[in-house]
Amino acid sequence: MKARVHITLKNGVLDPQGKAIQHALGALGFEGVDDVRQGKYIELDLSETDKDKAYANVEEMCKKLLSNMVIENYTIDID
Amino acid sequence: MKSAVVTFPASNCDRDMFDGIEKVTGQKPHAIWHQDTEIPNVDLIALPGGFSFGDYLRCGAMAARSPAIRAILEHANRGGYVIGVCNGFQVLTEMGLLPGALMRNKSLKFVCKTVHLKVENATSAFTNAYAPGQVIDIPVAHHDGNYFADDATLAALEDNNQIAFRYVNKDGIATEDANPNGSQHNIAGILNERGNILGMMPHPERFVEDAQGGSDGRGFFESIINTLN
């Protein structure tokens, strides 16, 4: 089964890269982009077949390595 | 002073750290490879600067899960001294030994220059050779030195006198212009609550003799010698 993990910066954490992307989009003529927040997307192929167990396992991975809980949030999708 | 320097793949200031420690203390540090699971009994473990594991995932994230980390944690928990400079600071935050995180510089640019630092805490094991409020010159060279912590953590750092160094102008004032990376409260280096662990973005090991352009970094290593005596 496949786990898809999105890592995003917590609200209130400045995102200078997101700001730079926003400015670059403006420079290319894209209007109306009020804010940009960038993050990471990680795909994991798992041998586990039980969805709940897979979720719990990936959540541990997020806490221990994939995200830094000081500055980042994670969301997990499993299918 | 007995010390050890830990090298991770893509550490690149480990040699500077060896050299700086030896020049000031007269004793050669032990060389530790990240896969070593034992570290000799030393007074100080130094985590050097660089781009360990290519900064993959997050700066310091991979290094903070290396086999050598368990021995570093045991040393720290015993009250042994640990310093992390630049990437070493990032590793210490990723290990959870120091609060907060180091993010991409606000300017998005790599900064490489000599900055003024104010010694905010001149009583710690790492700073007692300096005078309180002294302004020293130390080089920085980093892309991810923008210190971030939530408000409660920042308040605790301020209240407990855990901020060791702040970026300041030549008059010792912490201004926005003097802040090379956008760090909150102009923080350049912090101590843990117990005071045996210090992380800092600037490189004291690069400024230990005049031939390097300055020697204000010597006090950093001299402080540890003072503490041990």
Side-chain angles (χ1 to χ4, degrees):
Chain A
M1 95 186 353
K2 192 163 269 215
R4 296 179 168 85
V5 179
H6 283 91
I7 314 276
T8 51
L9 287 171
K10 287 183 175 173
N11 288 336
V13 176
L14 281 177
D15 181 6
Q17 293 178 93
K19 278 272 172 283
I21 294 166
Q22 185 186 358
H23 288 143
L25 289 172
L28 288 171
F30 291 101
E31 290 171 11
V33 181
D34 294 332
D35 195 19
V36 177
R37 306 280 285 169
Q38 52 85 49
K40 295 189 187 86
Y41 171 66
I42 301 170
E43 266 185 11
L44 306 164
D45 282 316
L46 307 170
S47 50
E48 179 61 63
T49 52
D50 181 307
K51 204 171 169 180
D52 290 342
K53 279 187 191 159
Y55 187 94
N57 201 18
V58 173
E59 184 155 47
E60 270 310 292
M61 294 179 201
C62 286
K63 286 178 183 166
K64 287 197 172 154
L65 177 65
L66 301 181
S67 78
N68 179 338
M69 304 293 286
V70 175
I71 47 172
E72 295 170 330
N73 288 324
Y74 57 82
T75 56
I76 302 166
D77 292 302
I78 298 213
D79 56 45
Chain B
M1 183 181 79
K2 289 179 289 181
S3 63
V5 176
V6 184
T7 300
F8 302 96
S11 292
N12 66 6
C13 301
D14 44 340
R15 186 63 194 268
D16 297 33
M17 187 63 84
F18 277 110
D19 215 50
I21 292 176
E22 192 182 352
K23 281 208 168 88
V24 182
T25 69
Q27 280 179 277
K28 229 185 234 310
H30 293 277
I32 306 299
W33 179 233
H34 73 116
Q35 286 179 323
D36 293 343
T37 50
E38 284 182 33
I39 296 178
N41 193 16
V42 293
D43 303 307
L44 172 75
I45 294 177
L47 308 184
F51 301 87
S52 58
F53 295 87
D55 282 347
Y56 290 175
L57 192 65
R58 295 177 306 276
C59 300
M62 300 297 175
R65 280 85 182 167
S66 295
I69 292 302
R70 185 182 296 271
I72 298 169
L73 280 171
E74 282 169 10
H75 169 86
N77 290 337
R78 279 198 305 269
Y81 296 111
V82 181
I83 58 167
V85 168
C86 202
N87 188 221
F89 186 9
Q90 295 160 345
V91 174
L92 289 174
T93 59
E94 281 284 342
M95 285 171 72
L97 285 179
L98 290 174
L102 292 143
M103 305 189 56
R104 181 54 46 102
N105 292 347
K106 195 175 172 188
S107 66
L108 297 174
K109 293 190 176 112
F110 190 95
V111 289
C112 183
K113 61 179 181 183
T114 300
V115 297
H116 305 298
L117 299 180
K118 184 177 177 187
V119 181
E120 294 285 355
N121 175 337
T123 57
S124 82
F126 307 95
T127 55
N128 57 59
Y130 298 112
Q134 186 178 343
V135 177
I136 58 174
D137 289 351
I138 303 280
V140 292
H142 60 251
H143 209 164
D144 298 83
N146 181 353
Y147 183 78
F148 175 86
D150 60 36
D151 291 342
T153 305
L154 286 170
L157 288 173
E158 296 279 2
D159 289 349
N160 300 333
N161 208 14
Q162 284 174 254
I163 298 169
F165 303 105
R166 243 188 268 268
Y167 302 109
V168 294
N169 62 18
K170 63 180 173 34
D171 301 318
I173 315 291
T175 61
E176 203 176 325
D177 286 347
N179 187 341
N181 51 32
S183 287
Q184 285 176 310
H185 295 208
N186 282 44
I187 287 172
I190 55 167
L191 296 150
N192 66 336
E193 209 172 340
R194 188 172 173 183
N196 64 317
I197 301 171
L198 180 131
M200 62 191 292
M201 288 313 294
H203 288 270
E205 80 282 6
R206 288 192 191 177
F207 253 31
V208 296
E209 58 185 349
D210 290 338
Q212 293 171 314
S215 58
D216 282 354
R218 290 186 74 86
F220 183 78
F221 300 103
E222 286 163 355
S223 297
I224 306 167
I225 297 173
N226 291 344
T227 306
L228 293 169
N229 292 336

